[in-house]
Amino acid sequence: MKINTKLSALCIAATLMSVAQAAAAASAVTAPAKATQPSVASPAASVPAQVPAPVASAPATTPAPAQAPSVPATSTPAAAAGSAKAATPAAPSAPAQRPSTSVAPAAAPSVPSTVKPSKPQQPSTSAPAAAASSVKPTQLDKLNHESAVPLVLEAQSRYQYAISGGSPVGEAFQLNGKSYRYLSEDIGTKTKLINYLTQAYTKQASEQFVGKFFVEVNGRLAQLNADGGNLLEFSRATAKMVTMTPVKRSYLLTVPYPAETKQANAKITVNFEKVGSYWRISSAPHVIF
């Protein structure tokens, strides 16, 4: 009889638990999450004192599934919305930093701009040399150790043109058992050749050269059919004044040979004389070159 009484009490307790669970489910749907906790505790008060253990275990197991979906369902969208809103403004902050990096290249050109003005100052120091070279050697009215070399180069060019017979060289012929050739038309007479040479030499130096290396045949100038010249590099020559008067000067030229020849520099004295307004070389061409 006692066993049947206990079993009937347990059955009553199970029935009450099922009723409590149904009430808790109904209250979880209609009431907020916080109100479900009192609704679970209220059926426990009506349970007899003989079945405390099932009452304690009931709220631990049954309400948990009801509360679990309600809490994350409300908290998760809020957190997701908050994180989405927080992530959205973070993206424009990156382009805001890029313009700051684009400003840095703009400041970089300012560094070369301070360096470049210094370079034009270097040509300004060589401006006198540029001005001296701009003056035609055949119209040189001021002679110094710098302008003397361009005049020597002009004289060398005219000497080489004449000694090679001009361009084009005239026909060849035999005279006294030797081969001669006529000079080209532009310097083919004594007058033409003297006028050509006196653009760089004095008339006396020009006539001395023509009388030594050319012959006049039938009114035309001719020369031995041979070429001459030397290896001296007058373009790299330097000049040092030796004597000076208002109308006459002498310069000592230091003229190098090509480096491969391994020869010492040549020392050549060149005399200058002022003819009218311009300076001319008074040394005969064949004495210099």
Side-chain angles (χ1 to χ4, degrees):
M1 292 298 291
K2 293 180 178 180
I3 294 173
N4 292 331
T5 303
K6 292 180 178 180
L7 290 175
S8 61
L10 291 173
C11 291
I12 293 170
T15 303
L16 293 175
M17 287 174 59
S18 63
V19 173
Q21 290 178 356
S27 62
V29 175
T30 58
K34 293 182 180 179
T36 56
Q37 294 178 356
S39 64
V40 176
S42 58
S46 61
V47 179
Q50 293 179 358
V51 284
V55 175
S57 60
T61 56
T62 55
Q67 293 176 358
S70 62
V71 174
T74 55
S75 61
T76 302
S83 62
K85 292 180 180 180
T88 305
S93 64
Q97 295 176 357
R98 291 179 182 176
S100 64
T101 58
S102 64
V103 176
S110 63
V111 176
S113 64
T114 58
V115 178
K116 289 181 179 179
S118 62
K119 293 183 178 179
Q121 294 176 0
Q122 295 177 355
S124 65
T125 58
S126 60
S133 62
S134 65
V135 177
K136 292 183 178 180
T138 57
Q139 299 177 357
L140 185 64
D141 57 353
K142 293 181 180 180
L143 186 66
N144 53 46
H145 69 282
E146 291 181 349
S147 59
V149 176
L151 181 53
V152 170
L153 291 176
E154 178 69 23
Q156 181 190 31
S157 175
R158 291 177 183 268
Y159 161 77
Q160 289 179 340
Y161 185 80
I163 202 68
S164 61
S167 181
V169 178
E171 65 274 15
F173 62 95
Q174 295 292 322
L175 180 65
N176 298 328
K178 295 180 180 180
S179 178
Y180 283 81
R181 66 188 178 195
Y182 288 109
L183 273 64
S184 59
E185 181 64 26
D186 56 336
I187 56 173
T189 65
K190 185 176 181 179
T191 302
K192 289 181 179 180
L193 182 56
I194 294 296
N195 290 337
Y196 175 75
L197 292 173
T198 52
Q199 298 297 311
Y201 300 91
T202 62
K203 186 176 181 180
Q204 182 181 0
S206 300
E207 289 177 345
Q208 184 180 355
F209 170 64
V210 172
K212 184 175 180 64
F213 292 94
F214 301 92
V215 295
E216 193 170 5
V217 180
N218 300 326
R220 296 177 62 185
L221 284 182
Q223 63 180 167
L224 287 171
N225 196 3
D227 294 326
N230 57 52
L231 298 176
L232 290 173
E233 297 181 343
F234 283 88
S235 60
R236 297 196 295 127
T238 58
K240 181 180 180 181
M241 188 172 59
V242 179
T243 61
M244 181 184 72
T245 68
V247 294
K248 291 184 179 182
R249 295 180 186 178
S250 296
Y251 285 87
L252 179 63
L253 267 62
T254 302
V255 189
Y257 282 93
E260 58 271 16
T261 62
K262 298 182 180 180
Q263 298 187 46
N265 297 337
K267 303 288 185 179
I268 303 173
T269 300
V270 181
N271 299 320
F272 298 82
E273 184 176 339
K274 198 167 189 179
V275 179
S277 299
Y278 306 125
W279 287 93
R280 298 287 184 257
I281 294 178
S282 58
S283 298
H286 56 278
V287 175
I288 305 172
F289 309 107

